[in-house]
């Protein structure tokens, strides 16, 4: 008989429902309950109605910023990988806000209207911290289980809501510090640098900047001479970096708050003829950036498994919707948590490519807490 339990030994309700709904017996949602003869003795016994798995009507929504950002392109892939794993590849939509918060909520509302209240789960990256509350209210009013990443107010918590399952993030301050330290060391602790931020109201952008400033406080020989935002857009970051290079011919480094912007800055450095003279660091661990680190074109990046993040958020919401998770009883370290990241330099970039990047969709999506490293502080 096919296994109906998790590897932990717990009964897997979703697998049971799938097998029952697509086999000889199914769980019906309405109508009379028929009877069948028992296997032994011929006595009539109640039986469940033949029908479809209740999850067969559930839509999956991935709400992110833009596919021009390679990190979000990987997030989209993770969502699609998870959807395929639960036979929902035809019921996933990727909603692109392009940095417009009103559009993000409007697109989510439209998907709910299409699927029906309670029939959508979401994995959401709010554009800014102030967007998390209206997104939470929308999902609560629509009975849609959802997971958020990165941006929310510090005093806003999933455990104060019924359908907000989890909020996940990396430790932005720690990542900002890690790549800043790598950049400073590549400069032997002296010289001028520029910094490129994402959206100004974005929690991650501000946290990573805080990490950079903490490192600079310990290295008085390094001077931050220009600080600009590029809204997470690689082409805008390239223009910002061009301005930095023109304004400061002796610039020795560019710190970028994510890999997409770092890659844009790298293009500006190369076009300026200053490759190997101006170090560049980013954050995210997208494949192109990791390969640039391996080749020596970038100093380093903080590796985030974006495929994992895109799929795991939907997996958590899916398990809540299916009833496998009792959301109200989850410990707080599963309601707000950090996920695993790795500082990548030339020494370990190949290993990251061979494992995290190469793995892509090869995940156990049932092990939903596999990347939890602790409760968000």
């Amino acid at each position: 008989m096919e296994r109906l339990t998790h590897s932990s030994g717990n009964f897997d309700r979703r697998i049971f429902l799938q097998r029952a709904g697509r086999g000889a017996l199914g769980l019906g949602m309405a109508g009379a309950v028929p009877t069948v003869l028992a296997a032994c003795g011929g006595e009539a016994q109640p039986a469940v109605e033949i029908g479809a798995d209740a999850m067969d009507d559930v839509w999956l929504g991935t709400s992110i910023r833009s596919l021009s950002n390679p990190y979000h392109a990987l997030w989209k892939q993770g969502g699609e990988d998870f959807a395929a794993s639960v036979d929902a590849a035809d019921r996933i939509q990727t909603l692109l806000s392009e940095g417009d918060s009103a559009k993000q909520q409007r697109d989510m509302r439209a998907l709910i209207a299409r699927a029906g209240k309670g029939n959508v789960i979401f994995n959401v990256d709010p554009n800014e911290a102030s967007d998390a509350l209206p997104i939470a209210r929308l999902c609560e009013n629509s009975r849609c289980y959802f997971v958020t990443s990165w941006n929310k107010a510090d005093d806003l918590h999933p455990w104060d809501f019924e359908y907000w399952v989890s909020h996940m993030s990396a430790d932005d301050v720690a990542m900002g510090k890690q790549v800043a330290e790598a950049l400073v060391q590549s400069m032997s602790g002296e010289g001028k640098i520029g910094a490129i931020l994402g959206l100004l109201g974005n929690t991650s952008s501000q946290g990573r900047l805080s990490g950079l400033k903490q490192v600079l406080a310990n290295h008085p020989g390094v001077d931050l001479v220009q600080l600009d935002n590029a809204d997470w857009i690689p082409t805008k970051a390239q223009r910002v970096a061009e301005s930095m290079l023109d304004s400061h011919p002796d610039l020795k480094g560019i710190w970028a708050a994510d890999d997409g912007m770092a890659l844009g800055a790298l293009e500006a450095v190369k076009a300026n003829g200053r490759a190997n003279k101006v170090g560049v660091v980013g954050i995210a661990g997208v494949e192109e950036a990791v390969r640039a680190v391996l080749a020596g074109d970038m100093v380093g990046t903080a590796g985030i498994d974006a495929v994992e993040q895109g799929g795991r958020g939907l997996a958590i919401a899916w398990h809540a919707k299916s009833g496998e998770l009792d959301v109200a009883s989850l410990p707080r370290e599963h309601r707000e948590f950090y996920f695993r990241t790795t500082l990548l330099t030339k020494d370990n970039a190949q290993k990251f490519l061979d494992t995290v990047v190469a793995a892509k969709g090869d995940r156990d999506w049932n092990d939903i807490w596999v990347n939890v490293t602790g409760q968000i502080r």
Side-chain angles (χ1 to χ4, degrees), residues 152 156-159 167 332 334-337 375-376:
K152 73 171 187 63
L156 186 67
H157 303 290
W159 51 76
H167 177 80
R332 289 194 171 185
H334 286 167
R335 304 299 297 273
E336 290 184 2
F337 61 86
Q375 186 175 345
I376 293 176

Side-chain angles (χ1 to χ4, degrees), residues 6 12 14 18 55 58-62 75-88 92 120-124 145-149 163-166 168 306-327 330 334 337 361 363-372:
H6 291 298
D12 190 326
R14 178 177 59 80
Q18 288 175 339
M55 296 298 286
V58 175
W59 281 73
L60 295 76
T62 294
W75 178 313
K76 174 180 182 287
Q77 177 190 316
E80 292 172 347
D81 289 345
F82 171 73
S85 77
V86 291
D87 298 327
I92 182 169
V120 187
I121 62 167
F122 286 105
N123 188 17
V124 187
Y145 288 100
F146 70 107
V147 172
T148 54
S149 284
Y163 291 92
W164 190 351
V165 188
S166 300
M168 57 179 168
V307 173
E308 162 70 25
Q309 192 178 3
R312 197 66 59 185
L314 286 176
I316 292 170
W318 180 275
H319 281 65
K321 172 63 177 173
S322 72
E324 292 178 79
L325 283 183
D326 179 4
V327 176
L330 289 176
H334 286 167
F337 61 86
R363 315 289 169 116
D364 177 4
W365 296 116
N366 283 314
D367 191 0
I368 56 176
W369 312 117
V370 65
N371 273 318
V372 175

Side-chain angles (χ1 to χ4, degrees), residues 78-120:
E80 292 172 347
D81 289 345
F82 171 73
S85 77
V86 291
D87 298 327
D90 59 339
R91 301 194 311 279
I92 182 169
Q93 280 200 358
T94 299
L95 311 175
L96 303 176
S97 72
E98 303 298 343
D100 183 335
S101 299
K103 182 179 187 303
Q104 181 173 46
Q105 294 165 44
R106 189 165 60 248
D107 288 347
M108 292 176 65
R109 193 174 290 109
L111 181 55
I112 294 168
R114 174 180 180 177
K117 287 189 175 183
N119 270 354
V120 187

Side-chain angles (χ1 to χ4, degrees), residues 13-244:
R13 179 176 176 271
R14 178 177 59 80
I15 293 174
F16 171 75
L17 287 171
Q18 288 175 339
R19 301 299 177 263
R22 295 166 189 164
L25 295 177
L27 296 183
M29 299 304 295
V33 179
T35 59
V36 297
L37 292 179
C40 299
E43 183 180 355
Q45 299 288 337
V48 292
E49 181 185 355
I50 297 175
D53 179 356
M55 296 298 286
D56 282 349
D57 294 327
V58 175
W59 281 73
L60 295 76
T62 294
S63 180
I64 51 180
R65 193 165 302 109
S66 173
L67 297 184
S68 66
N69 185 313
Y71 160 76
H72 274 145
L74 290 171
W75 178 313
K76 174 180 182 287
Q77 177 190 316
E80 292 172 347
D81 289 345
F82 171 73
S85 77
V86 291
D87 298 327
D90 59 339
R91 301 194 311 279
I92 182 169
Q93 280 200 358
T94 299
L95 311 175
L96 303 176
S97 72
E98 303 298 343
D100 183 335
S101 299
K103 182 179 187 303
Q104 181 173 46
Q105 294 165 44
R106 189 165 60 248
D107 288 347
M108 292 176 65
R109 193 174 290 109
L111 181 55
I112 294 168
R114 174 180 180 177
K117 287 189 175 183
N119 270 354
V120 187
I121 62 167
F122 286 105
N123 188 17
V124 187
D125 181 4
N127 283 308
E128 298 184 349
S130 59
D131 296 329
L133 181 56
I135 287 171
R137 286 172 173 164
L138 169 63
C139 291
E140 288 290 312
N141 291 338
S142 304
R143 305 189 304 278
C144 294
Y145 288 100
F146 70 107
V147 172
T148 54
S149 284
W150 300 117
N151 296 295
K152 73 171 187 63
D154 290 341
D155 60 353
L156 186 67
H157 303 290
W159 51 76
D160 292 327
F161 297 82
E162 182 178 355
Y163 291 92
W164 190 351
V165 188
S166 300
H167 177 80
M168 57 179 168
S169 181
D171 189 334
D172 288 303
V173 175
M175 290 192 299
K177 289 174 65 175
Q178 286 176 334
V179 296
E181 192 65 48
L183 181 61
V184 168
Q185 293 303 318
S186 75
M187 299 164 50
S188 300
E190 294 185 353
K192 297 178 181 179
I193 68 168
I196 306 177
L197 300 177
L199 291 165
L200 291 179
N202 187 277
T203 304
S204 295
S205 187
Q206 294 302 315
R208 294 169 192 183
L209 175 62
S210 177
L212 168 63
K213 289 182 175 180
Q214 289 180 33
V215 170
L216 295 180
N218 295 323
H219 294 278
V222 179
D223 187 13
L224 177 61
V225 294
Q226 190 168 335
L227 175 67
D228 286 306
N229 71 294
D231 301 332
W232 308 113
I233 302 171
T235 53
K236 187 172 181 179
Q238 183 173 349
R239 294 193 296 270
V240 169
E242 288 168 353
S243 171
M244 291 177 174

